[in-house]
Amino acid sequence: MRMSRYFLPILKETPADAQIVSHRLMLRSGMIRQASAGIYSWLPLGYRVLQRIERIVHEEQIRVGHNPMLMPTLQSADLWRESGRYDDYGEEMLRITDRHGRDMLYGPTNEELITDIVRSSVQSYRDLPLTLYHVQWKFRDEVRPRFGVMRGREFLMKDGYNFDVDRESAIHAYNRHMVSYLRTYERMGLKAIPMRAETGPIGGDHSHEFLVLAETGESAVFFDSRILDLSLGGRDVDTDSSEDCAAVFEAWTAPYARTDETHDPAKFEAAVPEDRRMNSRAIEVGQIFYFGTKYSEPMDARVVNEDGDRVFVHMGSHGIGVSRLAGAIIEASHDERGIVWPESVAPFHLGIVNLKQGDGDTDSASERIFARAGAAGLDALYDDRNERAGPKFATMDLIGLPWRITVGPRCLRAGMVELTCRRTGETDELEPDAAIERVRLSCHGP
Amino acid sequence: MRMSRYFLPILKETPADAQIVSHRLMLRSGMIRQASAGIYSWLPLGYRVLQRIERIVHEEQIRVGHNPMLMPTLQSADLWRESGRYDDYGEEMLRITDRHGRDMLYGPTNEELITDIVRSSVQSYRDLPLTLYHVQWKFRDEVRPRFGVMRGREFLMKDGYNFDVDRESAIHAYNRHMVSYLRTYERMGLKAIPMRAETGPIGGDHSHEFLVLAETGESAVFFDSRILDLSLGGRDVDTDSSEDCAAVFEAWTAPYARTDETHDPAKFEAAVPEDRRMNSRAIEVGQIFYFGTKYSEPMDARVVNEDGDRVFVHMGSHGIGVSRLAGAIIEASHDERGIVWPESVAPFHLGIVNLKQGDGDTDSASERIFARAGAAGLDALYDDRNERAGPKFATMDLIGLPWRITVGPRCLRAGMVELTCRRTGETDELEPDAAIERVRLSCHGP
């Protein structure tokens, strides 16, 4: 993409009402713009990040055999009356009346709708296990939306629902979701810690939240530092195997890790030696639930089991905050100059800065690098504006692209360009093709 | 994808309330399920089609230099009061009140919101021309929703907005949109005819609809049969050139083509020889508008032009009915057995039918074909259920995959499988690798 044709409305001043760093940086870098309270437009740069996060979420869901689909944003109130949640949900639910006077709502979650789909299509244990998920916009009418996309009202969420014939199978689905979530966050460069959680309006007795450490997080967390050493890395977990998934669950839940909601100070002191007792702030980026027959009983969702009995299906639901992750990743990865994107979710892999726009040599070298980067499968943002070096560098630093190639007349006379790593600040002089190859290797691997 | 792990709830009976063929076939093939009046869930098979249509739309927008972004579904009523449309829009607009009593609405279109974004970020003609677009869910509270996704209430639309310094530049944007839309529809296997249109609540004096001929279409259309011969094909149109785009506009709008809304019988008879006068039914799949300063004046969206004057920007808006296209393509391409997907939007390129599930030879041959298809970049749906041949074939025909490979014991003894083309019904016996290669060539080219 050429910057001269891109819509990148950088703000020179820090917006006064943005209290946390991710909100400030997303506004300043032209990623988002507030449309109304707690509701944002994703400008082209932000939309790229959102798409890359969403793609990783999809890939990791599909990898473990979950079925993608898409439910609508608006739902009929009738289904929520069946489950009993229509009255329970409170003012966070946005209630709507259509032109015919029918009660509707903007879905804050989808247990009822998905249960309705499955109960009418699935009659036998042979059609289970089944996990369906979607990535769709939700609405929760927060009384005081703030922190940008971190606590907005309209937000993008992945929510998935497992249907199983019994508790044992549903617990495997729960553990499988934990594995896939851990891998999802790792791919985004995040260290997300599963912590035992309250279940709130979703219900059930078995739930974990995933928390990313950040000074500005809304939750206080208490944990054994050993959990920071855990990583799936390239480990090959057979997610069809309940033993393999249970082993990951055991390993990640053995060390003490709780939010203030479930924290037990006596237990913490008894279980964790003092030098490993950590407390911090953290951001919730996902949650998984097992709630058994909480919805299948009132909604009469049953299957015939192997013995010929019609039994209520066992269910769980599992959510990842897709739009919130854009903010959470920035909270976890920025410096005083701006965002520092992990390569996996960066809006562009690479920025190209032409130090002397209009000069025949730097122009043609920059154009060539831009074309070669595209041919190497890299998304490059080429700053082809007639602008001084200082503002060009400041923009690249602010928007946080992992790599920058600087094309200047002096260096170019020796056939070289500068390659700068955003995270480390290290700069090397290289031939243009070698610079592209190094970026390609770093972003796509050998 | 293995059918045994896929959620594909085929209906045995034709739903009584579905009046048109696309609605019936989408329900029967397990593509969609009604959530409430005019609101649908897209089940896994339907979601795949929706994604493929959306991807083609994105690719053709990006190819001509338009900037993808994403605006929210809910908007504040305040912006619509600025433009004067809040009171004008009528009962089709879904009006919502949030917990603080603020007036909001579910966006039926986005002229106001995008104008607000641009007026606050763009000050100079140097930042123009600019076209921003998004693919997002919309809501229009139709008094009588029907025809499935063809006239639903919640629907997915691509809507784009061009901002130009003067009328001439905006007319180029209009023509460029026509080129990109023609190419978009051609890639989906559709013959879409641009027809002069009324502008309705969007406004302006310059608009074309794109119509696909289908017996069940909601519009009566009258046209010169010569227009059916026009095709962009592989033509290389330079969409940065106003001459090139204008030439396409001229060629496609020279032959008479009107809907009943703009039809002029006297002109039709005068302009078109009797043997070329066609009338038919058709489905609207898109519309483009130029409306000048209709929104920029009341909303005070201005830029400084080359002469230093602050002038109102010239705008147009341009829509493609993404979810509606799934229905329109089926209306244009089906037979008595089911859907006949064009390869470009098919949910899977290929179905694999194992005629004797459980037999060592057919199982291992089918598995190998499934793996090889994946390695060749083909999406295959492998029917690995323990089911008779008849129902397996009927399912493949109903869901309309372009190609089917049948693996049976008799053929396999000679080292062969059957390759069947859904559109023509032709079947050939081939070695497995040759069958995959033929499908790959047909779907992806050499």
Side-chain angles (χ1 to χ4, degrees):
Chain A
M1 177 57 65
R2 288 163 204 280
M3 193 111 57
S4 61
R5 292 183 157 217
Y6 202 49
F7 182 63
L8 185 66
I10 301 285
L11 299 187
K12 296 218 169 54
E13 275 147 50
T14 298
D17 58 333
Q19 300 168 44
I20 63 171
V21 66
S22 62
H23 190 192
R24 284 196 295 272
L25 287 173
M26 290 179 83
L27 290 168
R28 282 189 54 212
S29 64
M31 285 182 64
I32 58 169
R33 188 168 188 283
Q34 182 171 302
S36 53
I39 303 180
Y40 291 85
S41 293
W42 293 74
L43 305 184
L45 192 78
Y47 181 55
R48 277 186 166 257
V49 173
L50 192 66
Q51 281 185 303
R52 294 201 73 189
I53 292 172
E54 186 180 340
R55 175 175 296 195
I56 291 174
V57 169
H58 271 298
E59 285 174 356
E60 292 303 326
Q61 289 299 303
I62 289 167
R63 184 211 284 241
V64 299
H66 300 164
N67 278 267
M69 60 174 298
L70 192 60
M71 287 175 272
T73 60
L74 296 197
Q75 302 179 22
S76 159
D78 293 342
L79 282 176
W80 288 69
R81 293 197 176 103
E82 269 193 65
S83 73
R85 284 206 295 179
Y86 188 65
D87 294 325
D88 294 352
Y89 216 93
E91 286 204 272
E92 276 196 12
M93 180 188 279
L94 187 67
R95 291 155 210 263
I96 301 170
T97 307
D98 76 6
R99 70 191 292 176
H100 295 298
R102 287 176 294 217
D103 290 331
M104 306 188 66
L105 55 98
Y106 200 121
T109 175
N110 287 263
E111 282 80 7
E112 286 80 359
L113 189 48
I114 194 75
T115 302
D116 181 50
I117 289 170
V118 170
R119 72 178 169 185
S120 66
S121 312
V122 171
Q123 313 300 336
S124 162
Y125 75 96
R126 286 195 193 85
D127 299 325
L128 303 181
L130 175 66
T131 295
L132 294 160
Y133 80 92
H134 71 160
V135 178
Q136 178 61 295
W137 292 90
K138 309 287 187 295
F139 200 92
R140 290 184 192 162
D141 203 357
E142 297 270 355
V143 65
R144 205 153 53 86
R146 61 211 145 117
F147 303 155
V149 301
M150 297 274 284
R151 192 175 276 279
R153 296 198 294 167
E154 186 170 329
F155 59 98
L156 189 61
M157 189 166 102
K158 173 261 159 182
D159 44 322
Y161 305 88
N162 67 284
F163 296 85
D164 287 271
V165 72
D166 56 25
R167 179 185 162 89
E168 187 188 341
S169 176
I171 292 294
H172 170 48
Y174 185 90
N175 294 343
R176 185 179 66 236
H177 276 88
M178 183 173 282
V179 176
S180 76
Y181 278 30
L182 289 171
R183 187 137 45 198
T184 301
Y185 299 125
E186 279 189 15
R187 282 187 62 187
M188 297 176 191
L190 294 174
K191 175 74 77 181
I193 305 173
M195 301 195 186
R196 184 186 291 198
E198 302 287 359
T199 56
I202 305 292
D205 58 3
H206 201 58
S207 179
H208 283 83
E209 291 179 312
F210 294 81
L211 288 117
V212 172
L213 303 182
E215 282 164 28
T216 51
E218 76 275 57
S219 309
V221 294
F222 305 85
F223 60 96
D224 181 341
S225 64
R226 280 193 311 155
I227 201 164
L228 297 175
D229 301 329
L230 295 173
S231 159
L232 279 178
R235 188 193 306 200
D236 193 20
V237 180
D238 175 3
T239 51
D240 288 340
S241 153
S242 50
E243 291 75 20
D244 272 29
C245 292
V248 172
F249 174 86
E250 291 301 332
W252 260 263
T253 56
Y256 187 97
R258 300 274 179 98
T259 68
D260 44 6
E261 284 186 335
T262 55
H263 180 48
D264 178 340
K267 201 164 175 180
F268 191 38
E269 287 187 27
V272 187
E274 192 169 0
D275 63 324
R276 296 208 317 248
R277 272 180 231 147
M278 312 286 284
N279 69 74
S280 171
R281 308 290 304 176
I283 301 165
E284 188 212 323
V285 292
Q287 189 163 4
I288 57 178
F289 300 87
Y290 164 69
F291 44 66
T293 59
K294 174 180 157 80
Y295 297 90
S296 58
E297 287 199 39
M299 296 184 69
D300 196 32
R302 295 201 269 187
V303 293
V304 174
N305 70 9
E306 270 188 275
D307 302 326
D309 300 324
R310 289 189 69 229
V311 297
F312 293 115
V313 294
H314 285 246
M315 294 173 53
S317 70
H318 314 278
I320 294 179
V322 174
S323 48
R324 159 174 276 222
L325 272 167
I329 294 168
I330 295 173
E331 291 291 335
S333 185
H334 65 272
D335 63 19
E336 69 288 347
R337 286 174 295 143
I339 303 166
V340 182
W341 288 116
E343 286 168 350
S344 58
V345 298
F348 297 91
H349 300 106
L350 163 73
I352 301 167
V353 170
N354 182 344
L355 288 184
K356 203 171 175 189
Q357 196 72 35
D359 174 272
D361 292 338
T362 61
D363 284 6
S364 68
S366 299
E367 289 287 343
R368 187 172 166 282
I369 290 167
F370 183 51
R372 297 292 276 255
L378 298 170
D379 286 330
L381 180 64
Y382 170 26
D383 191 345
D384 60 344
R385 297 170 306 160
N386 191 2
E387 178 65 90
R388 287 170 302 114
K392 284 191 175 188
F393 288 150
T395 294
M396 287 293 176
D397 285 347
L398 175 63
I399 69 175
L401 308 187
W403 297 96
R404 187 184 79 209
I405 292 180
T406 307
V407 183
R410 185 194 55 75
C411 227
L412 201 59
R413 276 193 292 275
M416 307 295 259
V417 295
E418 284 181 356
L419 177 67
T420 305
C421 173
R422 174 68 180 88
R423 188 172 295 278
T424 64
E426 283 179 276
T427 294
D428 287 316
E429 288 198 7
L430 291 165
E431 291 180 359
D433 286 355
I436 290 168
E437 178 60 10
R438 194 184 295 175
V439 177
R440 193 192 67 73
L441 270 176
S442 179
C443 294
H444 296 324
Chain B
M1 178 57 66
R2 288 163 205 280
M3 195 124 34
S4 61
R5 292 183 157 217
Y6 202 48
F7 182 63
L8 186 66
I10 300 285
L11 299 186
K12 296 220 166 56
E13 275 146 48
T14 298
D17 58 331
Q19 300 167 45
I20 62 171
V21 66
S22 61
H23 190 191
R24 283 196 295 273
L25 288 173
M26 290 179 83
L27 289 169
R28 282 188 54 211
S29 65
M31 285 181 64
I32 58 169
R33 189 168 187 283
Q34 183 171 302
S36 53
I39 303 180
Y40 291 85
S41 293
W42 293 74
L43 305 184
L45 192 77
Y47 180 56
R48 277 186 166 256
V49 173
L50 192 65
Q51 282 185 301
R52 295 201 73 191
I53 292 171
E54 186 179 340
R55 176 175 296 194
I56 291 174
V57 169
H58 272 296
E59 285 174 357
E60 293 302 327
Q61 289 300 304
I62 289 168
R63 185 210 285 242
V64 300
H66 300 165
N67 277 267
M69 62 175 294
L70 192 60
M71 287 175 272
T73 61
L74 297 197
Q75 301 179 22
S76 159
D78 293 342
L79 282 175
W80 290 68
R81 292 197 175 103
E82 269 194 64
S83 72
R85 284 207 294 180
Y86 188 66
D87 294 325
D88 293 354
Y89 215 94
E91 286 205 89
E92 276 196 14
M93 180 187 279
L94 186 67
R95 291 156 209 263
I96 300 170
T97 308
D98 76 7
R99 70 190 294 175
H100 295 299
R102 287 176 293 217
D103 290 331
M104 307 188 66
L105 56 97
Y106 200 121
T109 176
N110 287 266
E111 282 80 6
E112 286 81 359
L113 189 49
I114 194 74
T115 303
D116 181 50
I117 290 170
V118 170
R119 72 179 169 184
S120 66
S121 313
V122 171
Q123 313 300 337
S124 161
Y125 75 95
R126 286 194 193 87
D127 298 323
L128 304 182
L130 174 66
T131 295
L132 294 160
Y133 79 93
H134 72 161
V135 178
Q136 178 61 295
W137 293 90
K138 309 285 188 296
F139 201 93
R140 289 183 193 162
D141 203 356
E142 296 270 354
V143 64
R144 205 154 53 88
R146 61 210 145 115
F147 303 155
V149 301
M150 298 276 283
R151 190 174 278 280
R153 296 198 293 168
E154 186 169 328
F155 60 97
L156 189 60
M157 189 165 103
K158 172 260 157 181
D159 44 321
Y161 305 87
N162 68 284
F163 296 85
D164 288 270
V165 71
D166 56 26
R167 178 184 163 89
E168 186 188 342
S169 174
I171 291 293
H172 170 49
Y174 185 89
N175 295 342
R176 184 179 67 235
H177 276 88
M178 183 173 283
V179 175
S180 76
Y181 277 30
L182 290 170
R183 188 138 41 197
T184 300
Y185 299 125
E186 280 189 15
R187 282 187 60 187
M188 297 177 193
L190 294 173
K191 175 74 78 179
I193 306 173
M195 301 194 185
R196 183 188 291 199
E198 303 287 0
T199 55
I202 306 292
D205 58 4
H206 200 59
S207 180
H208 284 83
E209 290 178 313
F210 294 81
L211 289 117
V212 172
L213 303 183
E215 283 163 27
T216 49
E218 76 275 57
S219 309
V221 295
F222 305 86
F223 60 96
D224 182 339
S225 63
R226 278 193 310 157
I227 201 164
L228 297 176
D229 303 329
L230 295 173
S231 159
L232 279 177
R235 187 192 307 198
D236 193 20
V237 181
D238 175 2
T239 49
D240 288 341
S241 152
S242 51
E243 291 75 19
D244 271 28
C245 292
V248 171
F249 174 85
E250 291 300 334
W252 259 262
T253 56
Y256 187 96
R258 300 274 180 97
T259 67
D260 44 5
E261 283 186 337
T262 54
H263 181 48
D264 178 339
K267 199 164 176 183
F268 191 37
E269 285 187 26
V272 187
E274 193 170 358
D275 64 322
R276 298 206 318 245
R277 273 179 230 147
M278 312 287 283
N279 68 76
S280 171
R281 308 291 302 176
I283 300 164
E284 189 212 324
V285 291
Q287 188 163 3
I288 57 178
F289 300 86
Y290 165 69
F291 43 66
T293 59
K294 175 181 157 74
Y295 297 90
S296 57
E297 287 199 38
M299 295 184 69
D300 196 32
R302 296 201 267 188
V303 292
V304 174
N305 70 9
E306 270 188 276
D307 302 326
D309 300 324
R310 288 190 69 228
V311 297
F312 293 115
V313 292
H314 284 247
M315 294 173 54
S317 70
H318 314 277
I320 292 179
V322 174
S323 48
R324 159 173 274 223
L325 272 166
I329 293 167
I330 294 174
E331 291 291 333
S333 185
H334 66 272
D335 61 20
E336 68 289 344
R337 287 176 294 143
I339 304 167
V340 182
W341 288 117
E343 286 167 349
S344 58
V345 298
F348 296 92
H349 300 105
L350 162 73
I352 300 167
V353 171
N354 182 346
L355 289 183
K356 203 171 174 186
Q357 197 71 36
D359 174 273
D361 292 339
T362 60
D363 284 6
S364 68
S366 299
E367 289 287 344
R368 189 173 164 280
I369 291 166
F370 182 52
R372 297 292 276 254
L378 297 170
D379 286 330
L381 180 63
Y382 170 26
D383 191 345
D384 60 346
R385 296 170 306 160
N386 190 3
E387 178 65 90
R388 287 171 303 114
K392 284 192 174 186
F393 289 150
T395 295
M396 287 294 176
D397 285 348
L398 175 63
I399 69 176
L401 308 187
W403 297 96
R404 187 184 80 212
I405 291 179
T406 307
V407 182
R410 187 193 55 75
C411 226
L412 201 59
R413 277 194 291 274
M416 308 293 260
V417 295
E418 285 182 355
L419 177 67
T420 304
C421 173
R422 175 68 181 88
R423 189 173 293 281
T424 64
E426 282 180 277
T427 294
D428 287 318
E429 287 197 7
L430 291 165
E431 291 181 357
D433 285 357
I436 290 167
E437 178 59 11
R438 195 185 292 175
V439 176
R440 194 193 65 74
L441 271 175
S442 179
C443 294
H444 296 323

